[in-house]
Amino acid sequence: GFAVGEVTDARGVTTRTRVHQSDALGGRVEVDEILDTAGLVRSRKSTTYETLTPVAGITQVRVVQTDDETIDPGGSLHTRTRVRYDDFFNLIEVMKQGDVSVTGDEALTTFTWATNAALGITSLPARIQNFDPDGTLLAESVILYDNLPEGQVERGRPTSVTDAVEI
């Protein structure tokens, strides 16, 4: 296969892309790098995936982490985002680590979902919460459907939305 591809523009800046070669991840970008005219890596974006096989013959792929690095002589920056999913592939957590060499710039967003598997409803947001690095709740949205309690749904008609900021 074609594991690595490179393109150099008129300025002499090269973009190098490395793609996965496995059956499950084949063709998915693993790393994108930008090299300056001296051939030094100045930017790197990488993606980490996980694969699931819910039933024989079916492979599902989802992103679980992205890293973004800027590499400069005067200083570098490396940020990371990690995500988690529920069994329906809905996001349940997004952890933005900010600069990985610094503590205190992290942010966490969590999601819960209104579901009714018997009716095939699995992805209506029920609660979204944003937390600061210390775990303090900063903002929250709660959505109720069909005049039912939180997390329950029959048709998917929003009947109440409550937003709170700086709780």
Side-chain angles (χ1 to χ4, degrees):
F2 297 95
V4 178
E6 290 187 359
V7 175
T8 303
D9 67 18
R11 301 169 299 158
V13 174
T14 301
T15 301
R16 178 187 303 149
T17 301
R18 188 170 63 233
V19 297
H20 286 280
Q21 298 297 298
S22 68
D23 285 341
L25 298 176
R28 287 183 170 72
V29 174
E30 181 179 6
V31 177
D32 270 323
E33 296 177 321
I34 307 296
L35 291 75
D36 64 15
T37 56
L40 299 173
V41 175
R42 296 300 182 183
S43 173
R44 180 180 299 120
K45 296 179 186 197
S46 59
T47 305
T48 304
Y49 304 89
E50 72 178 356
T51 58
L52 303 162
T53 306
V55 295
I58 302 293
T59 300
Q60 297 174 323
V61 178
R62 55 190 180 191
V63 173
V64 293
Q65 180 174 303
T66 56
D67 286 85
D68 194 342
E69 300 171 76
T70 302
I71 306 152
D72 287 322
S76 297
L77 175 65
H78 179 181
T79 62
R80 177 175 292 143
T81 301
R82 292 183 176 160
V83 295
R84 292 184 342 141
Y85 304 85
D86 66 13
D87 292 339
F88 297 109
F89 271 63
N90 297 315
L91 281 173
I92 57 171
E93 184 176 279
V94 176
M95 173 58 149
K96 293 185 176 185
Q97 289 186 274
D99 185 344
V100 298
S101 67
V102 175
T103 56
D105 64 345
E106 303 82 7
L108 174 67
T109 302
T110 62
F111 304 85
T112 60
W113 302 88
T115 62
N116 185 329
L119 295 176
I121 301 170
T122 59
S123 60
L124 294 174
R127 181 179 296 261
I128 303 166
Q129 298 176 306
N130 295 308
F131 298 90
D132 73 7
D134 297 321
T136 302
L137 182 61
L138 298 175
E140 179 175 60
S141 295
V142 178
I143 305 157
L144 303 179
Y145 298 91
D146 308 314
N147 291 313
L148 295 170
E150 182 179 339
Q152 296 181 22
V153 61
E154 278 184 357
R155 298 180 55 148
R157 183 176 52 93
T159 51
S160 172
V161 177
T162 305
D163 292 320
V165 179
E166 295 184 21
I167 298 172

